[in-house]
């Protein structure tokens, strides 16, 4: 309601469109959310975050090709944002483009190698491990799963992935 009202009171407000999209997505209304994210991108085509939100919604709808376009645009605008490379890697992995996904996860780790703080590299290592598992590189995947567990020892998913890799080994 707030964001719909904001859009009736303002013109060309990409943040309001984006936030309305997020509210709609939270309600499971992905198609309507995508429309709002597209409006935000149209209003502010140089806003990387708007491309990211649109890409994530498209990826949720299994529209990986369209999501890849949005994530590449975000990288074009902000090439040094590790999370943009992670998002692109997720989309590429969903499409089965494992080698390309691996390269994007590696780039994310290269950009943000630090292992401390809220936005650390644990998820990048975990996702790289997932891609390596799909490629059959179990030993290399275990290295990255161990890194993820070391960085975030309370994350059960990271332990689970490491355990599965160890079972495969």
């Amino acid at each position: 309601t707030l964001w719909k009202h904001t859009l009736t009171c303002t013109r060309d407000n990409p943040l309001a469109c984006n936030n309305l999209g997020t509210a709609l997505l939270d309600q499971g209304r992905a198609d309507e959310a995508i429309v709002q994210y597209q409006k935000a991108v149209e209003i502010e085509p140089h806003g990387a975050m708007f491309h990211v939100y649109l890409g994530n919604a498209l990826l949720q709808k299994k529209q990986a090709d369209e999501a890849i376009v949005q994530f590449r645009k975000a990288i074009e605008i902000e090439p040094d944002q590790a999370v943009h490379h992670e998002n692109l890697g997720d989309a590429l992995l969903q499409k089965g483009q494992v080698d390309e996904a691996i390269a994007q996860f590696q780039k994310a780790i290269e950009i943000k190698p630090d292992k401390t703080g809220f936005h650390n590299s644990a998820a990048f290592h975990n996702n790289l491990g997932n891609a390596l598992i799909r490629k059959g590189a179990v030993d290399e995947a275990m290295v990255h799963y161990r890194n993820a567990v070391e960085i975030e020892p309370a994350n059960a998913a990271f332990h689970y992935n490491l355990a599965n890799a160890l079972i495969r080994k």
Side-chain angles (χ1 to χ4, degrees):
T1 302
L2 171 66
W3 297 117
K4 284 181 179 179
H5 176 72
T6 302
L7 287 170
T8 61
C9 298
T10 61
R11 290 184 32 150
D12 297 333
N13 188 329
L15 189 58
C17 291
N18 192 76
N19 290 346
L20 176 56
T22 299
L24 291 166
L25 197 61
D26 288 346
Q27 293 178 347
R29 297 161 61 187
D31 292 329
E32 294 172 76
I34 288 169
V35 169
Q36 292 303 316
Y37 292 139
Q38 287 169 331
K39 287 179 185 177
V41 165
E42 288 169 14
I43 296 166
E44 184 55 52
H46 299 293
M49 77 171 202
F50 302 129
H51 291 280
V52 168
Y53 278 91
L54 176 55
N56 283 327
L58 291 165
L59 196 58
Q60 185 175 321
K61 292 279 296 177
K62 305 292 185 214
Q63 297 175 13
D65 288 329
E66 294 87 349
I68 288 168
V69 170
Q70 296 305 317
F71 295 140
R72 288 194 192 281
K73 184 65 178 172
I75 290 170
E76 182 182 311
I77 297 166
E78 296 178 342
D80 292 330
Q81 290 294 320
V83 71
H84 298 343
H85 292 276
E86 179 190 27
N87 287 328
L88 178 55
D90 288 339
L92 291 165
L93 197 57
Q94 189 176 102
K95 277 206 56 151
Q97 297 176 342
V98 178
D99 290 332
E100 294 89 342
I102 288 170
Q104 291 302 317
F105 296 135
Q106 289 170 329
K107 182 69 175 174
I109 292 167
E110 176 188 318
I111 291 170
K112 186 151 180 59
D114 58 335
K115 298 180 177 185
T116 59
F118 179 70
H119 291 290
N120 58 48
S121 62
F124 307 148
H125 283 285
N126 185 67
N127 290 341
L128 179 53
N130 291 340
L132 290 165
I133 284 288
R134 293 228 351 227
K135 191 171 181 173
V138 177
D139 290 333
E140 198 176 343
M142 287 191 313
V143 169
H144 290 284
Y145 288 142
R146 283 189 173 109
N147 284 337
V149 166
E150 177 187 323
I151 296 165
E152 288 187 23
N155 189 313
F158 298 163
H159 286 277
Y160 180 82
N161 289 341
L162 176 58
N164 278 330
L166 289 165
I167 289 169
R168 283 184 125 176
K169 183 70 177 160

